[in-house]
Each structure stands twice: as structure tokens, then as C-alpha cells.
Amino acid sequence: MTAVPRRFPDGFRWGAATSAHQVEGGNHANDWWRFEERPGAIRDGARSGDACLHYQRFERDFALAAADAHTAHRLSFEWSRIEPAPGRFDVAAVAHYHEVLAALRRHGLQPLVTLHHFTNPLWIADRGGWESRDTVDRFVEFARFCAREFGGEVDWWCTVNEPEVFAFRGWSEGVWPPGTRDDGLALRVMAHQLEAHGRAYRALHEEDTRDADGDGRAAMVGFAKHLPQLEPERAWFPPDVVRAWFENRVFNDAVLEAAVTGEIRLSIPGAPAVRRRVPELERSLDYVGLNYYTRWKVRALGPEPHVARRGAALTDLGWEIYPGGLEESLVRVGRLGLPVLVTEHGFADARDAFRPRALVESLLHLARAIERGVDVRGYFHWSLMDNFEWADGYHGRFGLYRVDFTRPDRPRERTRSAGIYARIAAANAIEPEVAARAGLAL
Ligand code: FCB
């Protein structure tokens, strides 16, 4: 049998994803910057500092992406730059993001803009952050401002990134700001983020009715959902089964359900449940953004509730390399019957050793998901370049481009994966030779 290329639908978008705090550098007015000053908060005492100097180098970075045949790009606006004090919008920061969006257009990259990617202005954090309902109102006003200001320049808005990860890391595990360990508060924060999404969805549509990409419709609005597989470590051990069920429910299903029905129903054992109806949340997704990285085995007992499958191949961060999970997650979100964008997917691999193969395998699974009827419209690889990986500092290297953080000018170096990805994007297909280069036969 002759090998045939796996083709993607016409108009499928290829790109990479970043977030402001992780790449820009100099974001000193947000809560992460302050958190990084706490001894022991970040691996090896790393700080975001100048990060990748992307705030200055964006044009050159977009040129790299365009030369690699990317046709879209995901970035986030840094709220603390645009609104450094309540209701005061910074003219220079706003002008900067206009330039960024214009540069993307010049390079033929369709922008997907995230409005909340984990960081908060210090003034928000100091007023109680996402524990406070007031933050929901503030965020919706910020979204409204952005829609008015940048409407017509953005094709896809993403309101919030991974509300479940944001809430659990910051308020349950306490490893991200504000460093709290209280499951009840984690549920409350998650509910506030969901409410903020629903209300921002309406505000964005009210203010941004312009057609940025000439497809005859206004921008699409959605959120980015992190969707790991969560399986009991021991299927024969009821406590593992129960815990995995609860986690799946609160972490995965409840979030998607809320954005469809408008009903927020969050509960985990040992914490007060949160139930709230938010009319604006009902049918508040024009597309679902899927962030997929790995699967976890869930354990009820012991200090570490999530472990990698025994014997599995792992990334540099100890996450199982499981490309089939991308297909499973796509099929799962595909059940909502909405367009899907893979808003993040990638591997921490400083040597770019296993990424080429894992990337191609994952994209074969993405093609399978499309064959199985999921309406996938695009794929954004995490990330364009190595960057500040939150509490893991500079340890998790996800970039298609390597960044040398020991040099003040932060040079970029192209990986083999970037070349393979460029071939796939240019052909809008995985050709047999490309698969072979990654060690796979079609
Ligand atoms: C996701 C985050 C992103 C990045 C990747 C590795 O959860 O959205 O910022 O850190 O993980």
C-alpha cells in the first residue's frame, strides 16, 4: 500500500501560542512579578525578569513564525500594562498592542487574543483578586475596553485561560499566587472566572461587531479549557476511582457544562459547593479552545494526587508523553458540537529529542479527530519559543525556538521540530517524508 499524506481541511490555521508574562519581560506591575520575589516560590529562584524580551522583539518573532508558514498566532494582552490603575488606561501600552496586531497582519498571522492568562494587576490582587466579586466587574470592563479599542483587529478573542488550573494552582495547591490552600476558595475563584467569561463574552460581542478577517462575521469568542485525561491509578481501588470521578467532574465537565447551560455547579468533598446561575454564561462559546498536554493517574492516598503512568515516557517536567490523548480530548470537547481550536499543546523538551516525533504523532491524532467528525479549525503549538514557565521557572522548555536565557540579548535558535512543523503547515498535510523524518511511517 502506498503511503498517503494526511490532509487538513482547507483554511485550517497553523500557529503557535504565547502569553504576555511568559515572553514579554518587564511585567513588574502584576501579581506574578511580586510572587516571584518570595523565596522558594519559583524553581531555582528564577524570575520572569526580561523573559524573552518579546515586548521589544515581537516583530522579529512574528517574522520567524511567518517564515515557518504559520498563518495564525495566539498571544495575550497584559492587563497590568493596559490598565495600571483602576479605570486608567495607559496610552503607550495600548499603542504597543495596536502595533503588535498590525505586525501580525503584516506577517499574515491571524491574531487570537487572550484577555486573562493567569496574571492580574497588583491593584486587582490587593483588592482581594478573584476571591472578590468586584474583580468580575473589573475584568468585564477591561474586556469591554479592549473590544472597543481593538475590535476589528482581532479574529478570535479568548476571555480566560484555564479557569480551573488558575483556581486550583493558586487557591488549592497554593503554588501560584496568591499561594492559598483552601478548596472552598478555589471553587469560588473558579466560579468567578466562569461568570467573568460569560459576561465578557456578551461585552465583547456588544462592542466588537467588526469583521477583522473578511469572512463576513465578527470575531469569535471562547475560552481555553485545559483538558487532561484523569484516570484512577488503580481501577480496582474504589477511593482512586471516586477521586478521579470527582476531579473529572469539577475540573473538566463542570466547566464546559457551565458555558453551555449557564449553571455553575462545582463541588468536591470537604468544601462548600458553589451553585450559581449566570444567564450570560448560557451558550457563551463560539468556539472551544482546547489546551491538551497529558494524562494523569489519580491517587486518593499519599501526598501526590497525580502521577504519571508507571513506565511511561516522560517530558522534562515529568508529564507523560501521550499523543493519543489529544484525539480523546478533541472528541470529548467535540461533543458540544462547536468549532474547536487547539489553543495549546506541546512538550517540555530542552534537547528537542522526543518532540519531533511526539508532535507529528499528535497531529496525526488531530487529523483522526477531524475524521471522527470534530470541527477543528486550527492548532496553536505551545510555544513559539522557550519562556518563563511559571513556578517551574526556565526549567520547562516548550519552544519551537530555543532561547538562550544566559545571554542578555536572548538569541533564538530554530529546532528540528520547528522545521517539521513548518513543512506540515506549508503543505496543510502530513506528508510521508515528513512523518519519516520524525521516525514514523504513514
Ligand atoms: C498551560 C498554560 C501555559 C503554559 C503551559 C505549559 O497550562 O496555559 O501558560 O504554561 O501550560
Side-chain angles (χ1 to χ4, degrees):
M1 216 174 88
T2 29
V4 284
R6 297 286 198 291
R7 298 212 167 278
F8 292 86
D10 287 347
F12 191 85
R13 291 284 158 182
W14 296 99
T18 59
S19 88
H21 190 69
Q22 293 177 276
V23 295
E24 284 181 350
N27 279 318
H28 55 82
N30 72 31
D31 55 349
W32 261 91
W33 187 276
R34 185 163 66 191
F35 186 73
E36 292 158 26
E37 291 168 355
R38 285 197 201 172
I42 312 295
R43 192 159 172 170
D44 302 327
R47 306 274 287 270
S48 56
D50 284 341
C52 307
L53 288 172
H54 178 72
Y55 202 76
Q56 287 75 27
R57 297 193 45 167
F58 63 88
E59 177 95 45
R60 277 183 282 169
D61 289 332
F62 298 158
L64 295 176
D68 282 346
H70 297 200
T71 52
H73 183 72
R74 177 177 180 219
L75 72 159
S76 75
F77 285 172
E78 174 59 33
W79 187 2
S80 67
R81 285 190 193 268
I82 295 183
E83 191 180 2
R88 186 170 77 70
F89 295 94
D90 187 80
V91 176
V94 169
H96 169 84
Y97 288 116
H98 278 298
E99 280 174 35
V100 166
L101 295 171
L104 287 170
R105 290 271 165 227
R106 274 199 298 283
H107 290 286
L109 301 167
Q110 269 194 336
L112 185 155
V113 174
T114 309
L115 292 172
H116 190 273
H117 198 123
F118 299 156
T119 57
N120 298 292
L122 281 171
W123 62 269
I124 283 282
D126 292 340
R127 291 170 170 221
W130 286 89
E131 288 168 40
S132 155
R133 191 85 178 255
D134 185 49
T135 294
V136 178
D137 299 337
R138 291 293 181 172
F139 176 75
V140 175
E141 283 315 302
F142 169 65
R144 191 176 287 285
F145 172 84
C146 290
R148 237 180 246 150
E149 184 64 42
F150 302 101
E153 293 168 53
V154 174
D155 300 293
W156 295 298
W157 292 104
C158 172
T159 55
V160 293
N161 181 63
E162 303 184 346
E164 59 293 322
V165 174
F166 174 72
F168 275 87
R169 285 238 191 273
W171 281 267
S172 168
E173 298 164 38
V175 293
W176 286 4
T180 302
R181 293 178 66 107
D182 179 328
D183 285 347
L185 283 178
L187 296 185
R188 186 184 157 92
V189 164
M190 211 165 134
H192 283 159
Q193 282 240 314
L194 287 170
E195 178 167 347
H197 159 75
R199 290 177 46 202
Y201 174 88
R202 306 291 153 193
L204 286 160
H205 275 309
E206 274 161 36
E207 303 293 339
D208 180 6
T209 50
R210 284 157 286 179
D211 171 8
D213 57 1
D215 69 350
R217 54 170 299 165
M220 306 258 278
V221 184
F223 62 30
K225 170 80 193 81
H226 185 91
L227 204 129
Q229 269 71 49
L230 295 165
E231 299 165 2
E233 191 190 24
R234 293 153 293 190
W236 47 266
F237 187 51
D240 285 2
V241 176
V242 170
R243 181 167 183 145
W245 185 88
F246 264 104
E247 288 200 359
N248 239 316
R249 168 81 215 134
V250 73
F251 201 86
N252 290 333
D253 296 336
V255 176
L256 294 171
E257 218 172 84
V260 172
T261 64
E263 302 284 343
I264 300 177
R265 299 156 83 93
L266 306 174
S267 66
I268 43 176
V274 177
R275 282 171 183 254
R276 194 184 299 166
R277 170 154 181 78
V278 178
E280 296 94 331
L281 241 188
E282 196 177 330
R283 295 156 64 88
S284 62
L285 295 172
D286 302 329
Y287 71 88
V288 197
L290 170 71
N291 293 358
Y292 170 75
Y293 287 93
T294 191
R295 75 168 148 193
W296 293 109
K297 296 287 174 183
V298 179
R299 264 192 187 159
L301 309 172
E304 188 41 78
H306 296 146
V307 289
R309 190 174 54 84
R310 206 166 296 146
L314 306 178
T315 71
D316 295 351
L317 289 178
W319 305 356
E320 178 180 356
I321 301 168
Y322 180 48
L326 180 60
E327 181 179 337
E328 289 168 33
S329 291
L330 282 168
V331 167
R332 194 156 161 191
V333 296
R335 286 194 199 112
L336 298 179
L338 297 165
V340 181
L341 290 172
V342 177
T343 34
E344 285 181 32
H345 172 258
F347 307 91
D349 180 8
R351 294 179 305 115
D352 199 49
F354 49 81
R355 185 188 289 114
R357 183 187 172 114
L359 171 60
V360 175
E361 261 188 287
S362 301
L363 295 176
L364 288 170
H365 279 287
L366 193 158
R368 269 290 292 153
I370 295 175
E371 275 163 35
R372 290 173 67 184
V374 186
D375 180 11
V376 191
R377 306 270 176 101
Y379 172 89
F380 295 85
H381 190 77
W382 184 272
S383 179
L384 181 59
M385 62 202 133
D386 294 339
N387 57 49
F388 178 72
E389 182 43 40
W390 309 113
D392 284 303
Y394 293 102
H395 192 73
R397 301 289 177 105
F398 283 89
L400 291 171
Y401 281 78
R402 285 198 188 93
V403 177
D404 183 350
F405 293 100
T406 64
R407 299 237 326 246
D409 58 336
R410 305 290 196 268
R412 280 60 163 149
E413 184 199 340
R414 195 171 189 246
T415 62
R416 202 157 74 82
S417 292
I420 289 175
Y421 187 59
R423 289 274 308 267
I424 295 172
N428 200 31
I430 304 173
E431 285 162 339
E433 317 86 81
V434 174
R437 266 175 68 184
L440 288 160
L442 284 194

